[in-house]
Coordinates of all heavy atoms in Angstrom, one line a residue:
Chain A
N679 N -92.0 69.2 52.9 CA -92.1 70.6 53.3 C -93.0 71.5 52.3 O -92.8 72.7 52.1 CB -90.7 71.2 53.3 CG -90.7 72.4 54.3 OD1 -91.6 72.6 55.1 ND2 -89.6 73.2 54.2
I680 N -94.0 70.8 51.8 CA -94.9 71.6 50.9 C -95.9 72.3 51.8 O -96.4 71.7 52.8 CB -95.7 70.6 50.0 CG1 -94.7 69.9 49.0 CG2 -96.8 71.4 49.2 CD1 -95.4 68.9 48.2
P681 N -96.2 73.5 51.6 CA -97.1 74.3 52.4 C -98.4 73.5 52.5 O -98.9 72.9 51.5 CB -97.3 75.6 51.7 CG -96.2 75.7 50.8 CD -95.7 74.4 50.5
F682 N -99.0 73.6 53.7 CA -100.2 72.7 53.9 C -101.3 72.9 52.9 O -101.9 72.0 52.4 CB -100.7 72.9 55.4 CG -101.8 72.0 55.7 CD1 -101.6 70.6 55.9 CD2 -103.1 72.5 55.8 CE1 -102.6 69.8 56.2 CE2 -104.2 71.7 56.1 CZ -103.9 70.3 56.3
N683 N -101.6 74.2 52.7 CA -102.8 74.4 51.8 C -102.5 73.8 50.4 O -103.4 73.2 49.8 CB -103.2 75.8 51.7 CG -102.0 76.7 51.3 OD1 -100.9 76.3 51.3 ND2 -102.3 78.0 51.1
E684 N -101.3 74.0 49.9 CA -100.9 73.4 48.6 C -101.0 71.9 48.6 O -101.4 71.2 47.7 CB -99.5 73.9 48.2 CG -99.4 75.4 48.2 CD -99.4 76.0 46.8 OE1 -99.6 75.2 45.8 OE2 -99.1 77.2 46.7
L685 N -100.5 71.4 49.7 CA -100.4 69.9 49.9 C -101.8 69.4 49.8 O -102.1 68.4 49.1 CB -99.8 69.6 51.2 CG -99.6 68.1 51.5 CD1 -98.7 67.4 50.5 CD2 -99.0 67.9 52.9
T686 N -102.7 69.9 50.6 CA -104.1 69.3 50.6 C -104.7 69.4 49.2 O -105.3 68.5 48.7 CB -105.0 70.1 51.6 OG1 -104.9 71.5 51.3 CG2 -104.6 69.8 53.0
R687 N -104.4 70.5 48.6 CA -105.0 70.7 47.2 C -104.5 69.7 46.3 O -105.2 69.1 45.5 CB -104.7 72.1 46.7 CG -106.0 72.9 46.6 CD -105.6 74.3 46.1 NE -105.6 75.2 47.3 CZ -105.1 76.4 47.2 NH1 -104.6 76.9 46.1 NH2 -105.1 77.2 48.3
N688 N -103.2 69.4 46.3 CA -102.6 68.5 45.4 C -103.1 67.0 45.8 O -103.3 66.2 44.9 CB -101.1 68.5 45.5 CG -100.5 69.6 44.6 OD1 -100.6 69.5 43.4 ND2 -100.0 70.7 45.2
L689 N -103.1 66.8 47.1 CA -103.6 65.4 47.5 C -105.1 65.2 47.1 O -105.4 64.1 46.7 CB -103.5 65.3 49.0 CG -102.0 65.0 49.5 CD1 -101.9 65.0 51.0 CD2 -101.5 63.7 48.9
Q690 N -105.8 66.3 47.2 CA -107.2 66.2 46.7 C -107.3 65.8 45.3 O -108.0 64.9 44.9 CB -107.9 67.5 47.0 CG -108.5 67.6 48.3 CD -109.0 69.0 48.6 OE1 -108.6 70.0 48.0 NE2 -109.9 69.1 49.6
S691 N -106.5 66.5 44.4 CA -106.6 66.1 43.0 C -106.0 64.8 42.7 O -106.4 64.1 41.8 CB -106.0 67.2 42.2 OG -104.7 67.5 42.7
L692 N -105.1 64.3 43.6 CA -104.5 63.0 43.3 C -105.4 61.9 43.9 O -105.4 60.8 43.3 CB -103.1 62.9 43.9 CG -102.0 63.7 43.2 CD1 -100.7 63.6 44.0 CD2 -101.7 63.1 41.8
A693 N -106.1 62.1 45.0 CA -106.7 61.0 45.7 C -108.3 61.1 45.7 O -108.9 60.2 46.0 CB -106.2 60.9 47.1
V694 N -108.8 62.3 45.5 CA -110.2 62.5 45.6 C -110.9 62.6 44.3 O -111.9 61.9 44.0 CB -110.5 63.7 46.5 CG1 -112.0 63.9 46.7 CG2 -109.9 63.6 47.9
A695 N -110.3 63.5 43.4 CA -111.0 63.6 42.1 C -111.1 62.3 41.4 O -110.2 61.5 41.4 CB -110.1 64.6 41.2
N696 N -112.3 62.1 40.8 CA -112.7 60.7 40.3 C -111.8 60.2 39.2 O -111.4 59.0 39.3 CB -114.1 60.8 39.7 CG -115.1 60.1 40.6 OD1 -114.6 59.1 41.3 ND2 -116.3 60.4 40.6
K697 N -111.5 61.0 38.2 CA -110.8 60.4 37.1 C -109.3 60.3 37.3 O -108.6 59.7 36.5 CB -111.1 61.3 35.9 CG -112.6 61.4 35.6 CD -112.8 61.3 34.1 CE -114.3 61.1 33.8 NZ -114.9 62.0 32.9
T698 N -108.8 61.0 38.2 CA -107.3 61.0 38.4 C -106.9 60.5 39.7 O -106.1 61.1 40.4 CB -106.8 62.5 38.2 OG1 -107.5 63.3 39.2 CG2 -107.1 63.1 36.9
R699 N -107.6 59.4 40.1 CA -107.3 58.9 41.5 C -106.1 58.0 41.4 O -106.2 56.7 41.4 CB -108.5 58.2 42.0 CG -108.6 58.2 43.5 CD -110.0 57.6 44.0 NE -111.0 58.6 43.8 CZ -112.3 58.3 44.1 NH1 -112.7 57.1 44.5 NH2 -113.2 59.3 44.0
I700 N -104.9 58.6 41.4 CA -103.7 57.8 41.4 C -103.4 57.2 42.8 O -102.8 56.2 42.9 CB -102.5 58.7 41.0 CG1 -102.8 59.6 39.8 CG2 -101.2 57.9 40.8 CD1 -102.9 58.9 38.5
L701 N -103.9 57.9 43.8 CA -103.7 57.5 45.2 C -105.0 57.1 45.8 O -106.0 57.6 45.4 CB -103.0 58.6 46.0 CG -101.7 59.1 45.5 CD1 -101.2 60.3 46.4 CD2 -100.6 58.0 45.4
V702 N -104.9 56.3 46.8 CA -106.1 55.9 47.5 C -106.0 56.5 48.9 O -104.9 56.5 49.5 CB -106.3 54.4 47.6 CG1 -107.6 54.1 48.5 CG2 -106.4 53.8 46.3
K703 N -107.1 57.2 49.3 CA -107.0 57.8 50.6 C -107.8 57.1 51.6 O -108.8 56.5 51.3 CB -107.6 59.2 50.4 CG -107.7 60.1 51.6 CD -108.1 61.5 51.2 CE -108.5 62.4 52.4 NZ -109.7 61.9 53.0
E704 N -107.3 57.1 52.8 CA -108.1 56.4 53.9 C -108.1 57.3 55.1 O -107.1 57.8 55.6 CB -107.3 55.1 54.2 CG -108.2 54.1 55.0 CD -107.3 52.8 55.4 OE1 -107.3 51.9 54.6 OE2 -106.8 52.9 56.5
P705 N -109.2 57.6 55.7 CA -110.6 57.2 55.2 C -111.0 58.1 53.9 O -110.5 59.2 53.8 CB -111.5 57.6 56.3 CG -110.8 58.7 57.0 CD -109.3 58.5 56.9
M706 N -111.9 57.4 53.2 CA -112.3 58.1 51.9 C -113.2 59.3 52.2 O -114.3 59.0 52.7 CB -112.9 57.1 51.0 CG -113.2 57.6 49.6 SD -111.8 58.3 48.9 CE -112.5 59.6 47.9
S707 N -112.7 60.5 52.1 CA -113.6 61.6 52.3 C -113.0 62.8 51.4 O -111.9 62.6 50.9 CB -113.6 62.0 53.7 OG -112.4 62.5 54.1

Side-chain angles (χ1 to χ4, degrees):
Chain A
N679 206 16
I680 297 173
F682 182 70
N683 56 350
E684 303 255 7
L685 181 63
T686 51
R687 245 177 264 171
N688 276 292
L689 284 175
Q690 271 169 341
S691 49
L692 286 173
V694 180
N696 248 335
K697 300 226 168 125
T698 58
R699 207 170 283 175
I700 313 290
L701 301 179
V702 178
K703 177 171 166 293
E704 198 184 272
M706 187 54 212
S707 68

